């Protein structure tokens, strides 16, 4: 399974592609960042993100896109841009019929380090180790995107089963859990 | 000037098209709502919004798209969806080279009622009056989209001049003001 992980952001949108399956070695196929200038109009920035992500989708044709789930309680200043960048990522994937899964930051940290409260350095160390890289992935802020992809490969099935169960649950409860 | 107003939302995305110029009568060219089912996947919902907005853009070919500016301090539960729907609207317009302007809810209320603290009924009454409609626009939740379009027609120039001035201001100050 080939997964494109997207760590959404307006200024820097981390992207990482990992190939693998549970119980088998992981392989990094690509890593990078889609950047947009802070001084550009918001519509223009979203368009640049769309164009950047389209290039990644064209090149790697992933089976699935894993996007970091954005929470409103984070930094109010940046959360709107993050939500908007994640919308573009989900839209690009869905438009191509590629399934999208969302993973929370703590799910991602727990998947690669064993702890949902791991720090950034720990995540980078484990991503480097798990992908058997000679050096930490560059740019550094793209390590999270690779971690997202790894997280999906390892726990994607479980998340999907939970999602399927929730889809059958009453709406109020489902919204609460989401 | 033909303006498409978009009141963004994941469940209901209000859309209204108004033609006019400062000092000249306004004319409503269309009003409606793009709806998406709450039980659908988020990616699917964003795609439905994109497809719905594309139809409006195809049909009306507006000169400008006015989108309600989303604030993070609003209802935490719905604000993420609103931010994501607004991202789709800004993306669709920018992709076609159509300029996008953002207006705050209080700018919109002040434009059509004279008060930034007007309630929903007052906005609907004034939208009905200003567009010389026989009855309040239906669906009711699309009145805000028409108000957004009217707001832009009346104060668009001013907002654009402010934006241009801010674009020249130092970054920190610009972010503070935005």
């Amino acid at each position: 399974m080939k997964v494109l992980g997207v760590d959404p952001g307006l200024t820097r949108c981390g992207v990482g592609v990992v190939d693998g399956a549970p119980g088998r070695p992981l392989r990094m196929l690509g890593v990078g960042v889609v950047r947009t200038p802070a001084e550009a109009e918001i519509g223009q920035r979203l368009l640049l993100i769309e164009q950047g992500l389209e290039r990644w989708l064209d090149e790697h044709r992933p089976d699935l896109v894993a996007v970091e789930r954005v929470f409103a309680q984070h930094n109010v200043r940046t959360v709107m841009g993050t939500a908007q960048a994640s919308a573009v990522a989900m839209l690009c994937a869905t438009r191509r019929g590629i399934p999208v899964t969302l993973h929370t930051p703590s799910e991602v940290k727990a998947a690669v380090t064993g702890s949902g409260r791991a720090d950034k350095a720990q995540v980078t160390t484990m991503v480097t180790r798990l992908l058997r890289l000679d050096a930490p992935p560059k740019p550094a802020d793209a390590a999270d995107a690779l971690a997202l992809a790894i997280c999906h490969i390892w726990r994607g099935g479980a998340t999907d089963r939970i999602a399927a169960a929730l889809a059958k649950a009453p709406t109020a409860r489902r919204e609460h859990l989401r």
Side-chain angles (χ1 to χ4, degrees), chain A:
Chain A
M1 172 182 268
K2 202 193 291 182
V3 176
L4 173 75
V6 179
D7 181 22
L10 267 189
T11 305
R12 284 182 301 277
C13 196
V15 187
V17 188
V18 179
D19 186 79
R24 294 179 54 186
L26 300 161
R27 191 162 56 110
M28 182 179 84
L29 301 179
V31 63
V33 172
V34 177
R35 290 186 174 84
T36 79
E39 65 277 13
E41 294 278 337
I42 167 79
Q44 197 57 41
R45 301 182 78 180
L46 296 170
L47 184 62
L48 288 170
I49 290 171
E50 178 180 56
Q51 291 168 344
L53 292 177
E54 288 289 346
R55 277 194 292 273
W56 280 86
L57 292 166
D58 278 340
E59 190 182 343
H60 293 280
R61 314 232 154 242
D63 301 305
L64 186 133
V65 173
V67 182
E68 186 174 300
R69 189 185 291 276
V70 184
F71 287 107
Q73 64 265 36
H74 286 177
N75 187 328
V76 165
R77 202 67 156 283
T78 60
V79 80
M80 306 303 292
T82 310
Q84 292 174 327
S86 80
V88 174
M90 294 189 281
L91 184 65
C92 289
T94 308
R95 214 192 274 138
R96 291 173 181 241
I98 303 173
V100 174
T101 339
L102 303 176
H103 295 283
T104 65
S106 53
E107 279 168 359
V108 175
K109 288 173 186 171
V112 300
T113 73
S115 163
R117 291 185 302 274
D119 65 14
K120 213 167 172 66
Q122 219 177 326
V123 170
T124 301
T125 301
M126 286 309 297
V127 164
T128 310
R129 192 170 297 164
L130 294 167
L131 295 172
R132 289 159 293 125
L133 307 175
D134 295 331
K138 280 186 180 174
D141 51 10
D144 283 347
L146 291 168
L148 260 159
I150 296 171
C151 171
H152 184 79
I153 290 169
W154 283 352
R155 52 167 291 169
T159 307
D160 292 347
R161 282 194 298 278
I162 294 165
L166 290 176
K168 290 178 192 157
T171 307
R173 177 152 177 74
R174 190 165 79 239
E175 287 193 347
H176 171 69
L177 287 168
R178 272 187 186 166

